[in-house]
């Protein structure tokens, strides 16, 4: 889709450019006809004189078009992604996809179901329960409908909202996992950007320590599957 978008944009510019460049010619023709009509009688103007006038007029109009184009040109496009984010070229996507597949395989092995939620949530979902640190790190703004919204800094509030919206209609225990894209406007450190992905595994409806034991077991299984050991 990116390729198509770029191609369409270039094609539109190609169609627009000739129309812009042809405007002075149209202006010249209408001006020339008006001058000839109002001149009335008078002697004939020599062909050499007319050619000289035409050349002078064309040169002046071309110069004006060139100056106008310079003044109206857009600022140079910054090809870097916004600070704290990154591009995923094909080789990067292959590595990310491999990692996410490892997470999904382990989660499914332990009987977890994948879920997701909007990356854009109501700002109050975070400000009403979160500490000061998370509140200050929100990517938040007012949308065109006047609603206060924010990019999710974490997944737990969205999960709680989803469970609460079913009003007890979900079967327990609940075992869900997600790989959300999260946003935090914070000081960047090595390996930590403002846009990041994380692997979440959540268990609801079990009061004992069995849930923690299962999650720890899943974590160890993942480490083994990718060759990460205590050595």
């Amino acid at each position: 889709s990116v390729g198509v978008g770029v191609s369409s944009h270039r094609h539109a510019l190609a169609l627009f450019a000739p129309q812009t460049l042809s405007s002075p010619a149209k202006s010249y023709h209408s001006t020339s006809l008006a001058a000839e009509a109002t001149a009335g009688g008078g002697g004939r103007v020599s062909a050499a004189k007319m050619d000289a006038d035409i050349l002078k007029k064309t040169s002046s109009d071309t110069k004006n078009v060139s100056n106008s184009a310079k003044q109206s040109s857009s600022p140079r496009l910054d090809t870097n992604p916004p600070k704290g984010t990154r591009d995923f070229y094909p080789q990067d996507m292959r590595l990310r996809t491999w990692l996410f597949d490892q997470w999904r395989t382990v989660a499914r092995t332990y009987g977890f179901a994948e879920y997701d939620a909007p990356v854009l949530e109501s700002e109050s979902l975070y400000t009403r329960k979160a500490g000061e640190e998370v509140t200050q790190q929100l990517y938040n703004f007012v949308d065109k409908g006047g609603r206060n919204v924010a990019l999710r800094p974490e997944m737990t509030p969205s999960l709680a909202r989803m469970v609460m919206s079913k009003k007890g209609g979900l079967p327990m225990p609940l075992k869900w996992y997600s790989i959300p894209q999260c946003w935090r406007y914070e000081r960047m450190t090595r390996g930590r950007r403002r846009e990041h992905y994380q692997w979440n595994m959540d268990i609801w409806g079990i009061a004992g320590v069995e849930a923690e034991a299962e999650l720890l077991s899943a974590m160890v299984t993942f480490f083994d599957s990718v060759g990460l050991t205590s050595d």
Side-chain angles (χ1 to χ4, degrees):
S1 59
V2 174
V4 173
V6 172
S7 176
S8 299
H9 183 55
R10 288 177 178 168
H11 189 56
L13 286 176
L15 291 174
F16 182 77
Q19 294 177 3
T20 303
L21 295 177
S22 65
S23 298
K26 294 179 180 178
S27 176
Y28 160 72
H29 286 307
S30 61
T31 303
S32 175
L33 290 174
E36 291 176 1
T38 56
R44 290 186 58 187
V45 180
S46 67
K49 179 66 168 57
M50 292 181 64
D51 289 345
D53 290 343
I54 291 173
L55 180 60
K56 182 178 179 181
K57 176 65 176 176
T58 303
S59 300
S60 175
D61 287 347
T62 302
K63 183 177 180 180
N64 290 337
V65 170
S66 178
N67 291 335
S68 176
K70 290 180 180 179
Q71 294 174 359
S72 62
S73 61
S74 301
R76 174 181 287 185
L77 174 67
D78 184 1
T79 57
N80 295 313
K83 187 175 181 179
T85 66
R86 61 171 296 182
D87 296 315
F88 286 90
Y89 288 88
Q91 62 270 27
D92 303 315
M93 278 300 299
R94 285 192 291 271
L95 180 59
R96 196 186 85 176
T97 300
W98 172 84
L99 177 61
F100 287 9
D101 285 346
Q102 302 304 311
W103 287 343
R104 289 189 169 97
T105 298
V106 172
R108 287 194 293 263
T109 299
Y110 281 81
F112 285 75
E114 186 171 12
Y115 76 100
D116 200 0
V119 71
L120 187 69
E121 290 274 17
S122 298
E123 183 185 62
S124 60
L125 187 64
Y126 309 108
T127 56
R128 67 188 300 236
K129 79 94 186 173
E132 183 179 355
E133 180 184 9
V134 173
T135 302
Q136 292 179 348
Q137 294 173 355
L138 284 179
Y139 272 92
N140 55 331
F141 57 95
V142 179
D143 69 9
K144 294 181 180 180
R147 293 171 287 267
N148 293 310
V149 294
L151 299 178
R152 65 183 175 210
E154 56 182 338
M155 195 62 167
T156 303
S158 295
L159 172 61
R161 176 184 59 75
M162 293 172 64
V163 174
M164 292 171 61
S165 70
K166 293 300 182 181
K167 298 180 173 56
L170 295 172
M172 296 292 172
L174 180 149
K175 295 173 62 176
W176 287 0
Y177 81 94
S178 62
I179 308 175
Q181 179 192 46
C182 299
W183 297 80
R184 289 198 182 192
Y185 194 87
E186 61 183 347
R187 181 177 176 273
M188 293 182 293
T189 58
R190 182 178 177 85
R192 176 81 173 190
R193 299 172 184 259
R194 292 171 176 170
E195 171 205 21
H196 64 276
Y197 293 84
Q198 62 187 44
W199 179 32
N200 290 346
M201 298 179 70
D202 295 275
I203 300 177
W204 289 45
I206 296 180
V209 297
E210 297 88 351
E212 283 80 0
E214 185 172 7
L215 293 174
L216 288 172
S217 177
M219 191 186 309
V220 172
T221 300
F222 163 70
F223 288 151
D224 288 341
S225 69
V226 297
L228 292 177
T229 66
S230 57
D231 299 332

